[in-house]
Amino acid sequence: MSGLIEVLVNGISSGAVYALIALGFVIIFKATEVINFAHPSLLLAGGYAVAELHDDIGFWLALLVGIATTAVLAALVEMLVLRRMRGRDHSVLSIVTIGVDIVLTVELARRIGTRVLPIGDPWGSAVVRFGDVTIAQTRIAAIVVAFVAIAAFLLAFKYTSWGVAMRATAEKRETAALMGVRLGRVSAGAWAVAGVFAVLAAVFLCVFPTPGLDRTVSFAALKALPAAVLGGIDSTTGALVGGLLIGITEAAVIGYQGDIGLFSHGFADVAPYLVMIVVLLVRPAGLFGTREAARV
Amino acid sequence: MSRKLLWVGAAVLLVLPPFYLDAFWLQSGLFAMSAAIGAIGLNVLTGAAGQLSLGHAFFLALGAYGYIWLAGGDERTAGIELTGLGLPTLLAAVLAVLLAGLVGGLFAPLAGRLRGASLGIATLALVFLGQHVLFRAEGVTGGANGRDVPPLNVFGLEFADSPEPVLVLGIPFNGLEKLWFLGLVLLAGAAWFARGVLASRPGRALNTIRDHEIAAGALGVPVARTRAAAFVLSSMYAGLAGVLFALIYRRTVPDTFGLALSLDYLAMIVIGGLGTVGGAVLGAVFVSMLQPLLTRYADGIPFVAASGSAGPSPAEAARIIYGVVFVAVLLFLPTGLAGGLSRLTSRLRRRRPGTTPNPPASNPSREESTA
């Protein structure tokens, strides 16, 4: 029983982190109709900034700098690359982010090399015990931070003028522009917010029980991509549900991999994609995605 | 007339390398040919039909390991029990290509229904699944250490090094020299077939689906089936590229067929030009020759560091360069290097006095009509 609870809490915790990343994909898609394949490199950039700086200026200040850097970097990608390609085919817009990802990831991976950089977080390897259930503090911190960040975003999305502008843009770009919404600002803002979420996720991907940041951390963003897609790439609810689903699946596979048999070792890396394939076979637009109704 | 001369000249140039270049360049060139075949296939899917695929590496792996398993025999190396069917190698090569197509067909429920970048994400699953299976199914793939590739044997002509190689014009013809001509034949066939597909009904159907799905449906194009067919065709091209790849390197390891390889292929067609056969070939040559060039001449290039010192290694430098070119081409040269090149030559031809300019009807690009 305690094993199950530990699996569930760990699953929800990494699910919350995946939800942060998946929400980044969804925000960018809603604002610009682009699937941002450069997200893994943004996540790596933020994590790298925090890991490099925390020794000199302390963890919290480093986190702030990391967030600011990544937000600016993300907004720059939007302004320098995507904005110049407006009006081109959407699949081409998504493809160009792959090129951005190649450049950024190679350069960051080269800087990191084979090192594992500690992230310098205040929780360390401390654990909390409830009876015979043992949970790392970092896991609880991940849930709390993700919850606060996502709640803040959803409130802003609903009540601030930026949120209204963004929803209007997602609904119909031309009409929104005619109503005085400045599309450039909305898009750049969306990219920046997605960048912020990516850094928060990067931090919690590199804390205990993980030893630190290495060059493969960006693959976590690729695991959150199925989360965004199976929830529905244009649905914030979908990103949260998808993230949790992927997180719990992964934790369950790791927790019980001894019982699965043959291809068990390393299966946790593949499980998210299998879940996505199954969902897409039944619902091609994802669980909560908008189904396009076109009849010929 | 001058066009025909150009083709003859190109053919002569392509036949010469085995007589003049060493094994390093022959292997790099052969790798570029295999890449070109794979890139042509991806360009039919991603360029012509607008369907993104990040799973190309998986189908290359199917071709390569399919061939090895079908042609290889049961053996035991380094403590791993390897299995194989031991079929004639030519039959194994054909079956490996069909196997890639078959698996591509199994993916049809998704390949037909998902559109553009969404398919790209779904095909990510194939790459990661493929990696997982390649590392675990040791009996077939040899696990992380890889497995030797049985040399191809076509009606008695073996594409391998022999102790007493045949001399052709005084040059010993070993495995690579023979493979060079096989590669040329395969590439020419692959390019010819894809040109036919793209220039006729199926190609037009794919372009219409890419540009306006609903309009395509209204015109009577079976959208899902056509998309799935494009996916199968591109899988088979990848399978063929995989077989050739295995034959060139004589040993394959699972690490080769990761996500990075899929991105390489995507870079090839983007840089060369989306949707055309010439673009795929040009891009494949650019991307696959970049690293060998940088490796050979690392000392002479200020930006690239020689091994051991700081700065990007040739492999990293190659990826950074083609990543930058990737983005720059999409920003400034939407038709890719191939499109840019043909525009440049047609402009030069017009400038030259005494020659008649191309009539706009035969070359209806925007620049022509404003000039």
Side-chain angles (χ1 to χ4, degrees), chain A:
Chain A
M1 189 59 204
S2 66
L4 177 65
I5 293 176
E6 276 169 28
V7 162
L8 270 182
V9 174
N10 286 336
I12 292 171
S13 162
S14 55
V17 175
Y18 287 137
L20 274 178
I21 309 173
L23 203 52
F25 284 115
V26 170
I27 296 169
I28 288 178
F29 186 82
K30 277 180 101 78
T32 52
E33 286 185 47
V34 170
I35 293 177
N36 177 22
F37 288 104
H39 220 59
S41 61
L42 295 177
L43 185 142
L44 192 60
Y48 176 70
V50 178
E52 280 286 321
L53 291 172
H54 77 87
D55 257 348
D56 301 328
I57 57 176
F59 174 71
W60 296 107
L61 212 55
L63 183 61
L64 270 185
V65 176
I67 287 176
T69 319
T70 315
V72 170
L73 187 64
L76 277 179
V77 172
E78 197 278 331
M79 288 193 278
L80 295 181
V81 180
L82 286 163
R83 196 171 296 181
R84 286 162 189 278
M85 296 180 61
R86 269 279 142 238
R88 299 267 291 277
D89 191 62
H90 288 308
S91 66
V92 174
L93 290 178
S94 298
I95 288 174
V96 77
T97 62
I98 295 178
V100 174
D101 185 67
I102 293 175
V103 176
L104 288 176
T105 305
V106 171
E107 177 57 19
L108 286 164
R110 186 179 74 77
R111 282 164 184 272
I112 295 168
T114 51
R115 291 180 294 165
V116 178
L117 306 170
I119 207 95
D121 63 293
W123 301 286
S125 57
V127 293
V128 184
R129 279 176 217 284
F130 305 99
D132 53 353
V133 179
T134 315
I135 294 158
Q137 277 191 15
T138 51
R139 298 294 101 207
I140 297 171
I143 296 177
V144 173
V145 170
F147 181 79
V148 171
I150 292 170
F153 167 75
L154 289 180
L155 287 175
F157 196 56
K158 187 142 197 191
Y159 294 111
T160 65
S161 58
W162 175 79
V164 175
M166 197 169 130
R167 279 183 290 145
T169 312
E171 203 70 38
K172 190 95 188 147
R173 290 186 72 83
E174 288 80 6
T175 318
L178 288 174
M179 294 296 175
V181 172
R182 297 177 64 168
L183 296 182
R185 223 181 257 183
V186 170
S187 314
W191 277 72
V193 170
V196 172
F197 284 177
V199 182
L200 293 179
V203 167
F204 286 107
L205 285 168
C206 303
V207 295
F208 183 79
T210 318
L213 176 106
D214 64 25
R215 56 203 298 178
T216 61
V217 164
S218 55
F219 276 100
L222 290 178
K223 260 193 250 171
L225 202 45
V229 170
L230 77 87
I233 190 75
D234 59 350
S235 157
T236 46
T237 323
L240 304 184
V241 174
L244 286 179
L245 198 58
I246 295 294
I248 292 173
T249 308
E250 198 187 34
V253 172
I254 292 175
Y256 298 110
Q257 65 183 353
D259 309 333
I260 303 177
L262 188 59
F263 286 130
S264 63
H265 183 68
F267 190 66
D269 290 334
V270 187
Y273 296 100
L274 288 182
V275 176
M276 172 184 74
I277 294 279
V278 171
V279 171
L280 285 182
L281 278 174
V282 184
R283 295 178 70 102
L287 293 174
F288 298 91
T290 316
R291 259 184 291 180
E292 276 182 42
R295 184 169 293 209
V296 176

Side-chain angles (χ1 to χ4, degrees), chain B:
Chain B
M1 178 61 201
S2 69
R3 222 187 158 79
K4 245 177 214 162
L5 271 178
L6 209 68
W7 279 112
V8 173
V12 170
L13 267 183
L14 284 172
V15 169
L16 288 181
F19 298 98
Y20 291 99
L21 299 179
D22 60 17
F24 176 83
W25 291 115
L26 282 184
Q27 198 166 45
S28 305
L30 266 168
F31 176 61
M33 287 186 212
S34 128
I37 294 173
I40 291 172
L42 187 62
N43 220 356
V44 170
L45 182 68
T46 304
Q51 294 283 81
L52 183 59
S53 169
L54 295 174
H56 220 52
F58 170 74
F59 292 103
L60 275 140
L62 272 181
Y65 282 104
Y67 170 74
I68 295 172
W69 182 67
L70 289 164
D74 294 329
E75 54 183 316
R76 188 181 171 81
T77 46
I80 297 172
E81 207 76 57
L82 294 171
T83 60
L85 295 188
L87 295 176
T89 50
L90 184 60
L91 180 66
V94 173
L95 286 179
V97 175
L98 291 178
L99 173 75
L102 182 73
V103 176
L106 290 179
F107 206 62
L110 289 178
R113 281 197 284 179
L114 297 177
R115 188 168 54 167
S118 309
L119 182 66
I121 299 170
T123 49
L124 263 184
L126 291 178
V127 177
F128 288 106
L129 202 65
Q131 284 285 293
H132 186 74
V133 173
L134 289 185
F135 276 103
R136 303 288 174 268
E138 289 184 329
V140 176
T141 66
N145 293 326
R147 183 170 178 181
D148 284 329
V149 181
L152 184 68
N153 188 324
V154 183
F155 306 122
L157 175 64
E158 187 157 73
F159 289 86
D161 296 345
S162 54
E164 287 169 27
V166 189
L167 289 181
V168 180
L169 300 178
I171 304 289
F173 256 47
N174 267 321
L176 283 176
E177 280 84 1
K178 287 182 245 172
L179 275 174
W180 180 273
F181 291 100
L182 178 73
L184 280 183
V185 170
L186 288 179
L187 176 57
W192 173 74
F193 187 77
R195 268 184 97 100
V197 168
L198 290 178
S200 55
R201 267 175 86 97
R204 277 154 212 249
L206 291 174
N207 288 342
T208 317
I209 290 173
R210 175 193 63 195
D211 295 335
H212 205 303
E213 189 183 337
I214 297 170
L219 289 170
V221 176
V223 173
R225 209 192 318 151
T226 311
R227 275 182 178 157
F231 195 83
V232 170
L233 185 65
S234 113
S235 312
M236 290 175 72
Y237 268 89
L240 181 60
V243 173
L244 189 56
F245 180 93
L247 289 172
I248 298 165
Y249 286 97
R250 293 181 215 157
R251 187 175 182 86
T252 49
V253 289
D255 260 337
T256 319
F257 301 100
L259 183 61
L261 187 67
S262 289
L263 296 186
D264 282 354
Y265 273 93
L266 204 61
M268 290 171 199
I269 61 168
V270 166
I271 291 173
L274 286 170
T276 60
V277 172
V281 175
L282 197 63
V285 172
F286 178 87
V287 169
S288 52
M289 291 308 280
L290 201 53
Q291 193 187 332
L293 277 173
L294 290 178
T295 310
R296 258 299 162 89
Y297 302 110
D299 307 329
I301 307 169
F303 166 63
V304 186
S307 60
S309 59
S313 70
E316 288 164 342
R319 286 181 72 78
I320 291 179
I321 291 175
Y322 83 60
V324 171
V325 175
F326 184 115
V327 178
V329 161
L330 281 178
L331 277 176
F332 306 115
L333 212 63
T335 48
L337 290 184
L341 214 62
S342 72
R343 223 159 49 191
L344 193 72
T345 51
S346 73
R347 198 173 296 176
L348 288 179
R349 207 169 291 158
R350 251 180 303 149
R351 290 248 177 87
R352 209 181 303 149
T355 49
T356 46
N358 279 347
S362 74
N363 202 348
S365 70
R366 216 172 292 161
E367 270 75 2
E368 299 281 338
S369 52
T370 50

